[in-house]
Amino acid sequence: MRFKTIIEPFKIKVVEPIKFTTEKEREEILKKAGYNVFNIPAEDVIIDLLTDSGTNAMSSKQWAGIMDGDESYAGSKSFYRFESVVKKITGFKHVIPVHQGRAAEKILFSIVAGPGKYIPNNTHFDTTRANIEFVGGNAVDLPIPEGTQPDVWHPFKGNMDVERLEKFIKEKGAENIPLVMLTVTNNSNGGQPVSMQNIREVREVCDKYGIPLFLDACRFAENAYFIKKREKGYENKSIFEITKEMFSYADGCTMSAKKDAFANIGGFLAMNDDELALKARNVLIVTEGFPTYGGLAGRDLEAIAQGLEEVLDENYLVYRIRSVEYLAEKLIERGVPVLIPPGGHAVYLDAKKFASHIPPEQFPGQSIVVELYRVGGIRSVEIGSVMFGRKDKETGKFIPHTMELVRLAIPRRVYTQSHIDYVIEVITEVHRNRDKLKGYKIVWEAPILRHFTARFEPID
Ligand code: P71
C-alpha cells in the first residue's frame, strides 16, 4: 500500500457491548476476587488483556463453518477438512485433534516423559511445564542469555541456546531426553520469535543425538512473520513458505488452536512417527474422544481449518504485529518500562523496574496487575514469581522467577486503536503513581498452577 497508515484488514459486522464499572465498584470486585484477576467475572472487565487464547474474533467464514460443521461421530467431513489443512501447513503424517493445547501436551508427555526424563525447551509455558512435571519428568528451559533480559534488544530473543542444549544432552544422556521442544513464539519470555537458523541448528543437534524435535506451535504464523521481517533470505518468501520450512525441521508439534488459528477452542497433536501416533490415539480415545473429533465438535474443526488458512494472510500479520508494536511504542515514549522488542501477541511490562521498591517475594507484577484493574478496569496477567516462582524443596526458601513481567495480551481482531489508546492512558497514570504500589502476599494457593486460583492480600 502507498499510504503509511496500517488499517484493520476487516470490517466489523457484529459487536459486543462493554459494561463500564467505576473505580469504587472495582475495589469491591478485587477484594471479593482475592486480588486475583482470574477470579473476576469477565463482565466486570472493561478491556480484557488477560490472554490472546480463545478470545479471538472469528471471521464470517469461520462462523459459516460453524453452521456447516458435520457432527458425525466418526469420519466427519469437518475432520477431513481440518486434517487436510493441518497437513498442508505442517506436513506431518498424523493429525490428532484435541480440545486445547494442554490436552496435546498431556497426551504427548504421558507417553514420553516420566521420572528421570528431561524435556528441554527454549522456555516452557506453564501448562507444558505442568504436564511434564505432573508425570514426574523434568522441564528444562534453555533460552539464549539475551532472552532473560527485558531491556536487551535481540531480533530473535526466543531462540534456544544451542551450545547449552548440546552440553545438557551430553550431561544427562540422550536416552533420558525423549524429545526437545521449541516454543514459537516464546510466550514466557515475551512472545519472542525463534529464528529459522536457530530451528535448523537445534535440529542438527537433535539429529546428532537421535532425539526428536517438537514445536509448540501456538503462534507459528506470528513467528513466521518475524522471520520474514528480521531474517536474511526470507524477505521475499510467503508466510506459507516460511511456516512450511519451520515445520519441516520438526518431527511433530503440539498446537493450541486458541491462538493463531483464531478459534475459541481446540488444538491438535501432530507427528510423523507411526508408533507414537498409535500410542497417542490410544490415550486420546480414553481421555478426549474418537480420533476424528478428539474432544471437539465438528463445527470447531471447521472453524480451526478456516482460521489456519486466514492466519497465513500477510496483510493480517502486518496489522497484527504493528498493533502490538504501537502499544509498546507509545508506552516507551511515556517512560514506561517495557520488555523490548515487543512480542507478537503481547506487550510485557517490566515489573522489576516499574515497581522497583517491591521485592520479588512481594510480587511486583501482581501489584501492577491489580492496579491496572482498579484504575482502568484493564485485566492483564502476571508472568513472574506468582506464575513461576517456587519454594526450595529442602529449605522452603523462596526462589523468584528470572523476570517479573505483566503481560498485556492482545486478543486477535477484537480491539480497535482507541481501545488501545485508552490502555496507554491508564498504564501511564498507574506508572506516574508507581510509588504508591503495594506488595502482595499469597494467603491461599493450589499445589499446581497456583496463579489461576491463588488468593492474595496487600501488604501494608
Ligand atoms: C496464554 C495461554 C493460556 C493461558 C495459560 C495460563 C494463564 C492464562 C492463559 C497457552 C499455551 C501457550 C503455549 C506457548 C501451550 C499453551 C496451552 N497459553 N503453549 O498464553 O501459550 O494451550 O491454553 O490451549 O491449553 O494466555 P491451551
Side-chain angles (χ1 to χ4, degrees), residues 95-257:
V95 180
I96 299 171
V98 293
H99 78 272
Q100 64 183 89
R102 68 198 73 179
E105 294 160 5
K106 165 89 182 127
I107 292 171
L108 180 64
F109 295 124
S110 66
I111 300 167
V112 305
K117 301 285 187 217
Y118 297 86
I119 314 283
N121 201 329
N122 43 359
T123 316
H124 287 280
F125 197 60
D126 63 345
T127 56
T128 322
R129 171 171 288 279
N131 271 301
I132 293 166
E133 291 175 351
F134 191 72
V135 295
N138 303 286
V140 184
D141 294 337
L142 299 173
I144 56 168
E146 294 89 338
T148 52
Q149 294 165 273
D151 49 4
V152 175
W153 198 93
H154 185 287
F156 292 103
K157 240 175 155 173
N159 283 356
M160 179 180 267
D161 189 327
V162 183
E163 266 175 47
R164 269 172 78 201
L165 172 67
E166 183 155 15
K167 210 168 137 240
F168 185 81
I169 297 172
K170 282 187 186 151
E171 194 182 301
K172 302 291 178 194
E175 66 282 8
N176 297 317
I177 303 175
L179 59 89
V180 171
M181 265 197 135
L182 275 176
T183 304
V184 295
T185 57
N186 191 349
N187 190 1
S188 313
N189 87 333
Q192 301 293 317
V194 178
S195 71
M196 195 71 88
Q197 188 185 339
N198 191 250
I199 303 178
R200 220 178 287 125
E201 285 172 5
V202 169
R203 170 84 240 182
E204 280 164 20
V205 173
C206 287
D207 276 345
K208 192 165 160 191
Y209 295 92
I211 303 172
L213 172 64
F214 271 62
L215 297 185
D216 177 340
C218 307
R219 299 178 180 88
F220 73 102
E222 289 172 2
N223 197 90
Y225 181 74
F226 281 117
I227 289 177
K228 182 168 170 118
K229 290 314 265 187
R230 296 183 186 166
E231 195 162 350
K232 228 173 145 253
Y234 291 92
E235 43 289 74
N236 297 319
K237 293 219 155 113
S238 71
I239 299 298
F240 178 63
E241 285 169 317
I242 298 171
T243 55
K244 215 165 166 52
E245 184 177 342
M246 283 164 57
F247 284 111
S248 76
Y249 299 120
D251 300 284
C253 74
T254 56
M255 167 89 188
S256 166

Side-chain angles (χ1 to χ4, degrees), residues 355-375:
S356 53
H357 59 291
I358 304 178
E361 58 271 25
Q362 291 182 15
F363 310 120
Q366 189 63 24
S367 172
I368 297 166
V369 167
V370 169
E371 205 56 17
L372 294 183
Y373 179 73
R374 191 198 325 267
V375 173

